[in-house]
């Protein structure tokens, strides 16, 4: 499902070049649930954005769902993400003027398209996460936990093989966040989906099948893997 080799991504800060992320090798099997952990600045979010195809590595190979992302242009990476990847962000990124259902359907626009079939899928997902009576409410009319559930439905509406989550529970209390994560993992397990989550929370990481520390993935000092 996911294969990375000798991946690096750097940023230019003034006259300085900063190495944001370096991974010698990472393999994640289809259906696996993995937490990416590491201290602040270790490149967790940068790595997640490279897995999504939002960022392109400066060097190395990234294969996701059978595609070498580093060989694709931006438009092709966008199409690949819409067809195969669902994303859940820490800030949720719901659009305030739209209802919960409409926000989920916006996710379908980047995949199969917001057809009648997509509406049926969106409504079924919202019902599955306990929002049958809230699907026509706007984000400001929902609790934090309910907004997070809408974001999960949006990530799942295209039936992606891979779900990427960036600190998805950072804005919630521990009890609510744990319930939402358990719900997502239950849906993912039932659908045999791969889940990769960036987190700084040990309890959230413990809910996953495997934890990967990004520091351990860096090439050895004095040479590249």
């Amino acid at each position: 499902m996911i294969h990375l080799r000798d991946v690096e991504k750097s940023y230019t800060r003034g006259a300085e070049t900063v190495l944001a992320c370096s991974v010698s090798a990472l393999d994640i099997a289809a259906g696996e649930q993995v937490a990416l952990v590491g201290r602040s600045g270790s490149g967790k979010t940068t790595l997640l954005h490279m897995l999504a195809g939002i960022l392109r590595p400066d060097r190395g190979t990234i294969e996701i769902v059978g595609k070498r992302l580093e060989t694709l242009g931006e438009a092709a990476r966008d199409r690949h993400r819409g067809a195969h990847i669902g994303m859940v962000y820490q800030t949720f990124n719901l659009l305030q003027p739209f209802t919960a259902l409409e926000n989920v359907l916006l996710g379908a626009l980047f995949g199969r398209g917001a057809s009648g079939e997509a509406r049926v899928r969106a409504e079924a997902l919202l019902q599955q996460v306990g929002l049958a009576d809230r699907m026509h409410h706007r984000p400001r009319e929902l609790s934090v936990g309910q907004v997070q559930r809408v974001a999960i439905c949006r990530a799942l509406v295209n039936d992606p093989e891979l779900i990427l989550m960036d600190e998805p529970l950072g804005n919630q209390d521990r009890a609510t966040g744990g319930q939402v994560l358990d719900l997502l993992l239950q849906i993912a397990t039932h659908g045999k989906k791969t889940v990769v989550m960036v987190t700084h929370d040990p309890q959230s990481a413990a809910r996953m099948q495997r934890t990967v520390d990004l520091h351990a993935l860096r090439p050895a000092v004095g040479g590249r893997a």
Side-chain angles (χ1 to χ4, degrees):
M1 168 64 77
I2 298 176
H3 305 285
L4 276 71
R5 292 294 182 273
D6 302 324
V7 169
E8 286 187 359
K9 182 65 180 178
S10 299
Y11 296 101
T12 300
R13 187 180 298 161
E16 181 184 13
T17 299
V18 179
L19 180 62
C21 183
S22 180
V23 175
S24 57
L26 174 63
D27 296 292
I28 297 175
E32 195 173 9
Q33 298 169 0
V34 176
L36 297 178
V37 302
R39 61 181 179 271
S40 179
S42 61
K44 300 186 297 295
T45 296
T46 298
L47 176 56
L48 204 72
H49 285 177
M50 287 193 289
L51 295 179
I54 296 171
L55 294 177
R56 199 178 204 168
D58 298 326
R59 67 182 296 267
T61 62
I62 299 179
E63 182 179 325
I64 307 290
V65 197
K67 283 285 186 180
R68 288 274 300 276
L69 296 191
E70 82 282 357
T71 68
L72 302 178
E74 184 176 355
R77 296 198 309 274
D78 288 345
R79 288 193 297 271
H80 184 265
R81 182 168 59 255
H84 301 285
I85 300 172
M87 297 196 68
V88 181
Y89 300 91
Q90 180 180 3
T91 54
F92 311 139
N93 291 355
L94 298 188
L95 298 182
Q96 293 297 328
F98 298 99
T99 66
L101 177 59
E102 289 166 342
N103 267 282
V104 175
L105 287 172
L106 285 172
L109 289 174
F110 298 98
R112 303 176 185 177
S115 62
E117 181 184 346
R119 185 184 180 92
V120 171
R121 289 198 308 273
E123 291 177 345
L125 283 167
L126 288 165
Q127 291 170 4
Q128 190 173 358
V129 301
L131 295 178
D133 61 340
R134 309 294 286 179
M135 65 176 65
H136 299 296
H137 288 66
R138 289 174 172 79
R140 65 177 176 273
E141 300 169 323
L142 303 173
S143 69
V144 174
Q146 289 171 336
V147 167
Q148 179 65 4
R149 293 180 186 211
V150 175
I152 288 172
C153 293
R154 183 184 57 192
L156 293 169
V157 70
N158 289 323
D159 195 24
E161 295 100 316
L162 173 62
I163 301 169
L164 301 176
M165 302 188 290
D166 188 6
E167 299 281 11
L169 310 181
N171 292 326
Q172 297 187 49
D173 64 82
R174 189 174 297 277
T176 300
Q179 292 171 2
V180 171
L181 179 56
D182 287 343
L183 177 62
L184 184 144
L185 294 179
Q186 179 183 357
I187 294 172
T189 299
H190 180 73
K192 299 180 180 179
K193 301 181 184 303
T194 306
V195 180
V196 179
M197 177 179 68
V198 161
T199 184
H200 66 277
D201 177 30
Q203 291 192 25
S204 295
R207 285 178 158 89
M208 308 295 277
Q209 295 171 345
R210 179 161 64 105
T211 297
V212 175
D213 189 331
L214 258 63
H215 183 73
L217 300 182
R218 285 180 174 265
V221 175
R224 286 176 171 171

